[in-house]
Amino acid sequence: MPTDTHPGPLRVLVFGAALRADSTNARLAALVARLISDTGATADLAPMRDFDMPLYDGDMETAGGLPQGALALRDRLEQSDAFVISSPEYNASVPGVLKNAIDWVSRVRPQPFKTKHAMLVSASLSLIGGNRGLWTLRIPLEHLGTRVYPDMFSLANSYQAFAEDGTLTDPGLQQRLTETVTAFLSLVEADVRHVCLERRWYEFLGDRTEAAITQRAEA
């Protein structure tokens, strides 16, 4: 029977899903990591290059298993209670490097994305801040069982959005991001510190409200 124990602070993996060193998504990831640390949680800030891997190839997997970059991402996910992705939008969709990483790690058993909480943010020079890409990103993550936080954050005009100290120049946006991160962590903390709570999960509108309660008991 699981108990309400979770030693130490929450640990959250944060990474920007762009390879370019000066990417505004890397800057947004760093800001989110700072906000996480301000709450007393531990932020594991990682550049996307920490998870370098070839394009997914089933023959390569059969011959040699998962590449080191995929195993590194697997390990960092397993060591974390939740994760945050700051993702650019490429052609109104997910960057290929990020989708490739998800595809490789989806081959791991047990699946490290399953039941993990995730928050999605984006930065873009466009007026919609890369938001279309985040809606696309939700699809593979939720398919793999990730509990993607409903409130996403998209930063428009990102080249002009950051102050020299790494915060956002718009006080309203800075406050909204701070509140979103804090609310997300509150949800994660409630989940990981109270694993013996019984809860109902409904995926479709037709699900019966009297359906049997299942107990979460991950090791």
Side-chain angles (χ1 to χ4, degrees), residues 105-121:
V105 178
S106 73
R107 304 295 296 167
V108 175
R109 296 294 180 273
Q111 176 49 247
F113 288 112
K114 184 175 175 59
T115 72
K116 244 4 153 190
H117 287 277
M119 189 176 89
L120 305 182
V121 300

Side-chain angles (χ1 to χ4, degrees), residues 19-209:
L19 295 175
R20 190 165 58 87
D22 195 35
S23 165
T24 53
N25 279 280
R27 297 176 71 181
L28 183 57
L31 176 55
V32 170
R34 187 197 308 185
L35 295 174
I36 290 171
S37 297
D38 287 345
T39 70
T42 298
D44 176 16
L45 180 61
M48 194 65 195
R49 290 190 183 278
D50 280 2
F51 312 125
D52 183 42
M53 61 192 83
L55 293 176
Y56 179 74
D57 181 337
D59 291 338
M60 180 183 297
E61 180 188 7
T62 299
L66 272 68
Q68 287 303 310
L71 294 175
L73 179 53
R74 184 271 319 265
D75 292 345
R76 303 279 274 273
L77 285 168
E78 290 182 343
Q79 293 162 10
S80 300
D81 299 302
F83 63 95
V84 178
I85 302 176
S86 181
S87 177
E89 176 185 290
Y90 290 176
N91 297 315
S93 189
V94 183
V97 66
L98 176 58
K99 180 59 166 59
N100 184 59
I102 293 171
D103 289 343
W104 268 114
V105 178
S106 73
R107 304 295 296 167
V108 175
R109 296 294 180 273
Q111 176 49 247
F113 288 112
K114 184 175 175 59
T115 72
K116 244 4 153 190
H117 287 277
M119 189 176 89
L120 305 182
V121 300
S122 61
S124 172
L125 55 81
S126 75
L127 294 178
I128 59 175
N131 188 257
R132 293 170 301 185
L134 296 187
W135 283 107
T136 307
L137 177 56
R138 296 183 72 97
I139 296 172
L141 292 175
E142 290 178 336
H143 172 75
L144 292 169
T146 304
R147 296 170 182 169
V148 183
Y149 192 59
D151 193 3
M152 303 182 293
F153 179 88
S154 295
L155 182 64
N157 297 314
S158 58
Y159 286 172
Q160 290 80 40
F162 291 93
E164 290 186 5
D165 65 355
T167 60
L168 301 181
T169 55
D170 185 322
L173 287 177
Q174 179 70 29
Q175 180 178 354
R176 186 188 157 220
L177 179 60
T178 301
E179 291 173 350
T180 302
V181 169
T182 301
F184 171 66
L185 292 179
S186 294
L187 176 64
V188 175
E189 182 171 29
D191 189 51
V192 302
R193 295 193 189 281
H194 303 287
V195 296
C196 65
L197 287 178
E198 292 182 328
R199 50 172 67 82
R200 298 171 190 257
W201 294 93
Y202 300 108
E203 189 170 356
F204 304 104
L205 292 177
D207 284 355
R208 295 178 295 108
T209 56

